[in-house]
Amino acid sequence: MEVILRPTREAAEALAARLIAEQVRAKPDSVLGLATGGTMERVYAELVRLHVEEELDFSLVRTFNLDEYVGLPGDHVCSYRYYMDQHLFRGINIDSRNTHLPNGVAEDLAAECRAYEEAITRCGGIDLQLLGIGKSGHIGFNEPLSALRSRTREKALSPVTMAQNAGYFSQYGPMPQRGLTMGVGTILDARDILLLVTGEAKADVLARAVEGPVTSMISASALQLHAHCRVIVDEAAATQLSEQEYYRWIFDHEPEWEPYR
Ligand code: F6R
């Protein structure tokens, strides 16, 4: 893992957007794994800006999102499909047929999950997977005790996640209690991984994921097993990391990290 500590949330978000943009420029038909949530909103706003102002071209890009709520159709304002359309897809020149999210209203959810895995494989696998972390330690909706080799499947949301996301549903009826999510194993198959973590509220779980033991109790800790995982954090999220000084030192002294500066 490479922990990249940036001084502010804005700097962390800008770096994440820049690395995604570099991926797209280097391989115009990249397969991107995408996440939703508050952490990603300004990353996507920056990608839209790069498209509009610097002609970042998404015409050949394919995307697979991590997860979707069970029971929410794509036009529901709280669905992740709706989030992606609003925050990213409608602002860039991506072909909507190349954007994929699990269908949370599929008649046969198990078949939908199998088809999702097959679609990722048919596209050649995910080049770059963007991730946030939940307060439960989840990536996607891989709640505590998710098998480290799990694949896309239906998953009950933990009470911590229900509480974390309840605010989004306050005006829009009851929050679904289940989601479809790529598995931890699906995520670990990505060629590159970018985990973005900002804000003090994530400090404790970030430290457990990065510096704690690999455990299915904190799904994000499985990222320690990945050979190309960059963890971009702001100072607020880094407060519980015991090796902050080392991360700052290595950032300043490791020549291979020049592209992140
Ligand atoms: C959403 C997802 C989740 C979020 C996580 C952090 O697609 O995969 O794992 O990344 O819950 O959410 P925020 O950014 O809202 O704190």
Side-chain angles (χ1 to χ4, degrees), residues 93-112:
N93 64 332
I94 197 163
D95 183 336
S96 62
R97 289 168 302 185
N98 288 340
T99 68
H100 305 87
L101 285 93
N103 177 6
V105 292
E107 228 165 77
D108 183 341
L109 293 173
E112 168 66 15

Side-chain angles (χ1 to χ4, degrees), residues 35-40 66-67 80 131-134 138-141 164 168 202:
T36 60
T39 312
M40 301 305 157
L66 286 162
D67 45 12
Y80 286 164
L131 296 172
I133 189 172
H138 73 201
I139 45 178
F141 276 144
Q164 180 189 309
Y168 293 107
K202 300 285 178 63

